[in-house]
């Protein structure tokens, strides 16, 4: 798993961004690589989410170490809003299923349901599929660009010793680090503050959720949780 934008992330991050920093989206494009829950009322909810509901789901999170602003929901297709949907699977409740073809991440719930989140996924040439598990969790993690990325994007060299956590850090507020057979794959499920990326393929195989959605998923995902990435 070659992520170009996340290797060696440490569990703690801290620090603010400064002028001249690399833009989050430039990391995503160049990589080789909480709150407002919808209740489970039977198997599914309505296919539509009102603007008021969306505003509640994606409002600001001022209590965070680095306060997270509200999502500009006008930049997100409503089909990618977090919601509970009917979802038949043989996987156990708690399992995370990534559907890169449709830009969704599911957390399997009881009773034939799942919490569904809109996502960004790997771009052409960097999609992958298979089983993994959450080997480590990080809040506001430090991001260190791999040597391969620094070679392609010399401007990333200034973060060779790590970019402190913050709103402009590519890993965002929460990160689930994916492992296989005891080894870190370099792939993650991470938090993004770029709503326009949801529903697109832009990474080297990592999966991004809106910060509010990622915090919601993170709180419900223990280490060792199974992750299934479907074929694209």
């Amino acid at each position: 798993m070659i992520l170009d934008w996340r290797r060696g992330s440490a569990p703690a991050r801290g620090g603010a961004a400064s002028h001249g920093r690399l833009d989050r989206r430039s990391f995503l494009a160049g990589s080789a690589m909480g709150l407002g829950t919808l209740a489970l009322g039977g198997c599914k909810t309505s296919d539509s989410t009102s603007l008021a509901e969306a505003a509640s789901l994606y409002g600001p999170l001022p209590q965070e170490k680095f306060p997270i602003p509200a999502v500009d929901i006008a930049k997100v297709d409503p089909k990618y809003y977090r919601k509970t949907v009917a979802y038949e699977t043989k996987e156990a409740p708690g399992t995370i299923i990534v559907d890169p073809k449709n830009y969704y991440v599911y957390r399997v719930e009881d009773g034939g349901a799942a919490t569904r989140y809109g996502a960004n996924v790997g771009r052409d040439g960097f999609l992958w599929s298979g089983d993994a598990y959450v080997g480590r969790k990080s809040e506001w993690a430090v991001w260190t660009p791999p040597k391969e990325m620094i070679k392609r994007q010399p401007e990333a060299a200034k973060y060779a010793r790590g970019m402190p956590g913050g709103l402009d850090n590519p890993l965002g507020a929460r990160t689930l680090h994916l492992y296989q057979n005891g080894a870190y794959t370099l792939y993650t499920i991470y938090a993004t503050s770029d709503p326009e990326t949801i529903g697109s393929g832009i990474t080297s195989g990592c999966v991004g959720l809106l910060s509010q959605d990622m915090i919601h998923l993170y709180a419900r995902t223990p280490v060792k949780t199974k992750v299934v990435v479907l074929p694209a």
Side-chain angles (χ1 to χ4, degrees):
M1 301 229 189
I2 4 178
L3 229 217
D4 252 38
W5 68 268
R6 30 191 137 264
R7 178 171 179 97
S9 308
R13 325 172 172 181
S18 60
H19 291 296
R21 68 195 171 215
L22 283 176
D23 172 285
R24 275 176 68 96
R25 247 164 286 156
S26 72
F27 281 134
L28 289 167
S31 46
M33 336 196 221
L35 267 73
T37 307
L38 286 175
L40 280 176
C43 288
K44 58 184 176 180
T45 64
S46 167
D47 285 339
S48 62
T49 301
S50 71
L51 289 178
E53 290 172 322
S56 175
L57 289 174
Y58 299 111
L61 302 178
Q63 75 279 13
E64 281 290 318
K65 180 178 180 180
F66 301 95
I68 296 172
V71 174
D72 183 351
I73 56 177
K75 294 182 178 180
V76 182
D77 189 316
K79 70 181 180 181
Y80 296 126
Y81 295 159
R82 184 198 323 159
K83 63 181 63 177
T84 301
V85 297
Y87 192 75
E88 295 299 329
T89 177
K90 295 180 180 179
E91 300 295 343
T95 302
I96 294 172
I97 299 177
V98 179
D99 179 0
K101 182 177 180 181
N102 294 299
Y103 306 103
Y104 288 128
V105 169
Y106 295 87
R107 181 189 184 273
V108 179
E109 311 290 356
D110 291 311
T115 301
R116 189 180 72 188
Y117 309 89
N120 64 45
V121 300
R123 65 188 188 276
D124 288 345
F126 293 97
L127 291 164
W128 63 283
S129 61
D131 293 353
Y133 64 91
V134 177
R136 181 161 57 92
K137 299 173 60 172
S138 299
E139 296 189 17
W140 297 108
V142 168
W143 172 73
T144 304
K147 293 179 180 178
E148 296 84 357
M149 181 184 182
I150 292 175
K151 185 176 181 179
R152 287 192 309 277
Q153 292 180 267
E155 65 271 26
K158 62 183 174 181
Y159 299 117
R161 294 187 179 181
M163 174 192 256
L167 294 177
D168 292 292
N169 182 300
L171 290 174
R174 303 288 190 276
T175 311
L176 300 176
H177 305 266
L178 304 186
Y179 282 61
Q180 291 175 328
N181 302 316
Y184 180 34
T185 62
L186 302 187
Y187 290 137
T188 68
I189 303 176
Y190 69 96
T192 179
S193 59
D194 296 323
E196 61 270 32
T197 69
I198 301 301
S200 62
I202 59 169
T203 76
S204 329
C206 290
V207 177
L209 305 183
L210 292 169
S211 295
Q212 286 82 347
D213 283 345
M214 189 62 209
I215 289 172
H216 184 270
L217 177 63
Y218 184 97
R220 291 156 178 76
T221 303
V223 170
K224 302 300 183 184
T225 293
K226 182 178 181 181
V227 178
V228 178
V229 180
L230 302 176

